Amino acid sequence: MASESVTILVQPRGKPIKKLPKEIRIAPNASTQGLHNALAEASGYSVHRLRITKGSDRSLVPNSKNTTIQDTGLNDKSLVHVKDLGPQIGWRTVFIIEYFGPLIIPALFLFPLRPLLYYNFDKPLPDPSTLQLVVCSLLTLHFLKREYETIFVHRFSNATMPARNIFKNSAHYWALAGFNIAYWVFRPDANTATDDLNPLVLYSGLAVFVFGELANLNAHLILRDLRRPGTTDRGIPSGFGFGLVTCPNYMFEVVSWLGIWLVSRFSWSVLIFTVVGSAQMMSWAAKKERRYRKEFGDKYKRKRFVMLPGIF
């Protein structure tokens, strides 16, 4: 018969945590979430800032209301290590900030900042071309959709990430998708600075963009519905695109940017962002395929390609 409570020994891992208790008593059938909350309250730190591992094998003690102390193998006098992960910031907040830059930069570059950015061109500067207006609209729509999904669609496995990551993550979007694309595509001498449009390339690009955006949204909705609100439990995804690759959301993201690339008359700045983003998504997709195989075992139908059919 299990005792009413056990004593868990506690030690900091890495830098000291001033108010961290040396031990804590907790019921064996209490959730590990209760252990996290108790140590967070005692130390005065946010529960998201603490990482708890078993002293015996350094395996993670999850912050879960569905996992008990007994489930983890912790017993009386078992040792846990507590690591301070540093200041944290919410994933949703990070995404909102990431996408805000490339959401507003195109319009800023095309209108109020135009005279300052292109001061070395003959005056008066020509008005933005129809094609430049179209590209600006596509960029704005794309990142408006990203913000909408961040606020209303996505459910995140982890509540927070290290606050310092905001600078690294934002640099990718603000610099490559924001400044890089907007400056070069909206120059008065850019390939897009013309009203002499090629209907085939323009309308093909628009069709590819719309298809990619809608298919990407559908994939995100499928992934969202696999996870119940307030949980990290996942099911095996299925539906449009999931029979082809592990991560059709990434595949359709690339499709959307190929549409923008076509409309921009094959701008090298759009292509650079697309290639860099694709490389990162390929890495994420490969990791997700490995996680699905480990998590679901024989229930999961393994994919030959993780992101781009016939390529990767």
Side-chain angles (χ1 to χ4, degrees):
M1 181 175 178
S3 61
E4 293 182 0
S5 64
V6 295
T7 299
I8 303 296
L9 305 179
V10 181
Q11 288 183 359
R13 185 175 181 83
K15 61 183 179 181
I17 301 174
K18 187 175 181 180
K19 296 181 180 179
L20 188 71
K22 294 183 178 180
E23 61 181 43
I24 190 166
R25 291 190 65 80
I26 192 167
N29 60 353
S31 71
T32 53
Q33 184 180 74
L35 176 63
H36 278 75
N37 290 338
L39 290 175
E41 183 177 358
S43 64
Y45 280 28
S46 164
V47 70
H48 302 300
R49 185 166 173 165
L50 302 179
R51 185 175 189 268
I52 303 175
T53 55
K54 293 169 59 178
S56 57
D57 59 7
R58 297 188 178 181
S59 61
L60 181 68
V61 178
N63 183 2
S64 170
K65 64 182 179 181
N66 298 319
T67 303
T68 67
I69 299 298
Q70 285 178 323
D71 293 338
T72 66
L74 291 172
N75 301 303
D76 192 46
K77 301 301 182 180
S78 289
L79 173 68
V80 297
H81 290 122
V82 181
K83 183 175 183 179
D84 175 16
L85 299 176
Q88 300 288 296
I89 187 171
W91 275 78
R92 200 179 306 276
T93 302
V94 171
F95 278 28
I96 290 172
I97 295 172
E98 283 180 3
Y99 302 146
F100 182 70
L103 172 63
I104 65 169
I105 287 172
L108 289 175
F109 277 35
L110 197 59
F111 296 109
L113 298 182
R114 187 174 174 82
L116 299 176
L117 291 168
Y118 306 118
Y119 64 91
N120 55 332
F121 285 85
D122 292 338
K123 303 296 187 295
L125 288 176
D127 291 334
S129 70
T130 300
L131 194 55
Q132 288 174 327
L133 293 173
V134 171
V135 174
C136 181
S137 298
L138 296 187
L139 294 171
T140 302
L141 287 171
H142 176 77
F143 286 105
L144 271 177
K145 170 181 166 291
R146 285 284 193 95
E147 296 283 32
Y148 170 82
E149 291 171 338
T150 297
I151 297 170
F152 298 109
V153 176
H154 294 322
R155 292 174 183 158
F156 299 96
S157 299
N158 299 313
T160 64
M161 69 167 67
R164 63 181 180 276
N165 286 4
I166 187 65
F167 301 104
K168 176 185 68 177
N169 291 23
S170 295
H172 171 72
Y173 286 100
W174 285 59
L176 280 184
F179 300 134
N180 170 60
I181 291 178
Y183 178 81
W184 296 105
V185 172
F186 301 148
R187 281 173 61 99
D189 61 349
N191 287 340
T192 51
T194 179
D195 291 326
D196 183 18
L197 308 180
N198 183 323
L200 178 61
V201 174
L202 174 63
Y203 293 118
S204 295
L206 290 174
V208 169
F209 173 81
V210 171
F211 170 76
E213 292 291 302
L214 294 177
N216 174 264
L217 174 60
N218 178 68
H220 284 158
L221 291 172
I222 290 173
L223 292 171
R224 187 274 308 271
D225 291 340
L226 293 175
R227 179 177 292 143
R228 298 191 306 274
T231 74
T232 58
D233 298 333
R234 288 186 296 263
I236 300 175
S238 62
F240 184 66
F242 286 94
L244 289 174
V245 294
T246 309
C247 298
N249 50 319
Y250 297 155
M251 175 178 68
F252 295 132
E253 176 80 8
V254 174
V255 170
S256 294
W257 280 100
L258 289 178
I260 296 175
W261 181 59
L262 288 173
V263 174
S264 69
R265 298 185 72 183
F266 313 106
S267 166
W268 63 266
S269 60
V270 174
L271 183 61
I272 286 176
F273 176 74
T274 304
V275 170
V276 172
S278 297
Q280 179 62 73
M281 288 186 287
M282 285 177 179
S283 174
W284 292 337
K287 291 179 181 178
K288 185 160 289 188
E289 173 66 17
R290 290 194 293 270
R291 188 169 73 237
Y292 283 160
R293 293 182 182 185
K294 181 178 179 181
E295 183 175 353
F296 299 114
D298 294 338
K299 295 180 181 179
Y300 176 67
K301 183 178 180 181
R302 299 186 174 198
K303 303 296 191 304
R304 182 180 178 185
F305 301 105
V306 298
M307 196 177 96
L308 300 175
I311 300 174
F312 181 81

